[in-house]
Amino acid sequence: MTEETPGFDEKPDVPPTSPPLGEEGTTSAAPEDAAQKAESADKAGSAPAGDVPDVALQAQLDQARSALNERTADLQRLQAEYQNYRRRVERDRVTVKEIAAANVLSELLPSLDDIGRAREHGELVGGFKSVAESLETVVAKLGLQQFGKEGEPFDPTIHEALMHSYAPDVTETTCVAILQPGYRIGERTIRPARVAVAEPQPGAQNAKSASEEDTKASDEESGGPDEG
């Protein structure tokens, strides 16, 4: 009679083995869930990551535009300064030229006065006439201009009064005789015209005004001037 060994009929407590990969169960689904979660995380993080380069590019573009505006303003300012410099240099060049020509021509004015007096007296003949005309042509090419005419109003900026008188036929101070003509180069006066001036007689203007008032009063009393 055999005795049964106690404990052989009981199964040992062995943990169940995991199902093989590929079979249905929690183990095979875990990698798929992990992949889906990773893909979702990539999709979720891809949108903000794409905005970062755009923001940086926009910032660089704004900076480039700002630098371009500054350089454009600098260029415009430099161009304006250059134009002002050119105009100033040109104006100074013309002024220096006029001053140099005026210094030379002012020494020739007595000779030109002699030529003018000889012409007035009919002595400008022969070889002297040719020389005189050549000299006048040269000074005219250098920009010398003669001014001063009888009958023009007296202007103290260009006229020098050497003689003074009163005349009944003038209504303002007038140049009645040119003793020496004036000369200028451009707007620069080398010598003022030396003239004799005449002013209206002191009582002539008052008498004329009184006569006009008497005539007006007479016309008003008679009902106006006669109609033709």
Side-chain angles (χ1 to χ4, degrees), residues 3 32 34 42 50 52 76 86 88 99-100 114 190 192 203 217 221:
E3 294 181 357
E32 294 180 0
D42 293 340
V52 173
Q76 293 175 350
R86 287 188 57 186
R88 185 169 61 255
I99 293 174
D114 293 338
I190 298 179
E221 291 177 359

Side-chain angles (χ1 to χ4, degrees), residues 206-226:
N206 295 333
K208 183 178 180 180
S209 300
S211 177
E212 291 177 355
E213 291 178 359
D214 292 340
T215 302
K216 183 177 180 181
S218 177
D219 292 339
E220 290 177 355
E221 291 177 359
S222 60
D226 295 337

